[in-house]
Amino acid sequence: NCEEGNCENGKGTLKYLNGSKYIGEFKGGIENGNGTWLTNDGSEFIGQFLKGYISGDGKFTHKDGSEYTGEFKNAKWHGKGVNLQTDYHDYYYLGEKFEKKRTKGDRIVAEWVGKWKNGYEIGEYIVNVYYFNSKQKLEFKRIIDVKFNSKGGTPKRRVSYWKMRDW
């Protein structure tokens, strides 16, 4: 449902039946060019669209604050990018001594820098891990070197190398 502007060939605002909204460029009645997609769950994409799909460069911010900035193809992470994740405590095990000192309100932020194919990790990555105490003061940083096996770029990908080092 075109709420404003020219949703056929130009710039406009389109509201979908599920409550999501697209604000941007259209060609032939399809999202094409630069635009912003506001999802009905509070997530947001700002970037390029091609023939109705997120394709090209852009930034997708999830409602939980995690975000991916980089290249997309057919609405999937594809190419170089950075995935910023917050508060995935169980995934980033930083050692028994550290885990025993965790307190309510602290958080871990992980920044994955690498390449994606069809929405999945491929090849080598550097993961920058930041730990903030409950007062949100940066306590320390770690670097994790990660490599995915030959099934990278598919749901069958597995980590073949994972090594943590100090910053």
Side-chain angles (χ1 to χ4, degrees):
N1 191 17
C2 189
E3 289 190 324
E4 185 179 318
N6 183 348
C7 298
E8 189 60 34
N9 288 302
K11 293 182 180 181
T13 301
L14 179 68
K15 187 169 184 179
Y16 303 96
L17 293 175
N18 69 1
S20 297
K21 188 182 282 192
Y22 172 78
I23 305 160
E25 300 173 341
F26 292 85
K27 184 176 180 183
I30 297 173
E31 303 89 334
N32 203 79
N34 292 315
T36 300
W37 176 44
L38 306 169
T39 69
N40 59 358
D41 74 354
S43 299
E44 173 186 76
F45 173 79
I46 299 172
Q48 299 172 328
F49 290 77
L50 179 64
K51 298 179 182 175
Y53 290 98
I54 294 172
S55 284
D57 294 329
K59 178 179 178 179
F60 190 90
T61 305
H62 295 270
K63 67 178 180 177
D64 67 3
S66 60
E67 60 186 47
Y68 170 80
T69 304
E71 299 173 32
F72 291 81
K73 182 178 179 184
N74 296 323
K76 295 181 181 176
W77 302 358
H78 195 91
K80 292 180 182 177
V82 176
N83 179 20
L84 187 65
Q85 300 176 340
T86 57
D87 296 328
Y88 290 94
H89 298 294
D90 297 336
Y91 196 76
Y92 300 102
Y93 179 76
L94 301 175
E96 185 176 342
K97 186 178 176 183
F98 166 75
E99 293 297 329
K100 286 181 179 179
K101 293 181 180 181
R102 299 289 308 266
T103 59
K104 186 175 182 172
D106 67 354
R107 68 187 174 110
I108 294 174
V109 175
E111 176 184 50
W112 288 71
V113 181
K115 286 186 176 181
W116 280 261
K117 181 178 178 185
N118 298 318
Y120 297 101
E121 303 89 341
I122 186 169
E124 297 179 11
Y125 281 76
I126 291 182
V127 183
N128 299 311
V129 179
Y130 308 89
Y131 173 69
F132 296 87
N133 65 23
S134 59
K135 295 179 182 171
Q136 301 310 305
K137 179 182 177 211
L138 179 63
E139 291 274 329
F140 65 80
K141 303 178 228 180
R142 298 282 188 270
I143 297 173
I144 304 172
D145 296 307
V146 180
K147 184 172 184 177
F148 286 88
N149 65 9
S150 61
K151 302 255 189 241
T154 73
K156 295 183 179 183
R157 80 230 183 269
R158 296 291 179 263
V159 172
S160 60
Y161 181 82
W162 179 283
K163 183 176 180 182
M164 189 175 320
R165 55 189 164 99
D166 287 333
W167 192 277

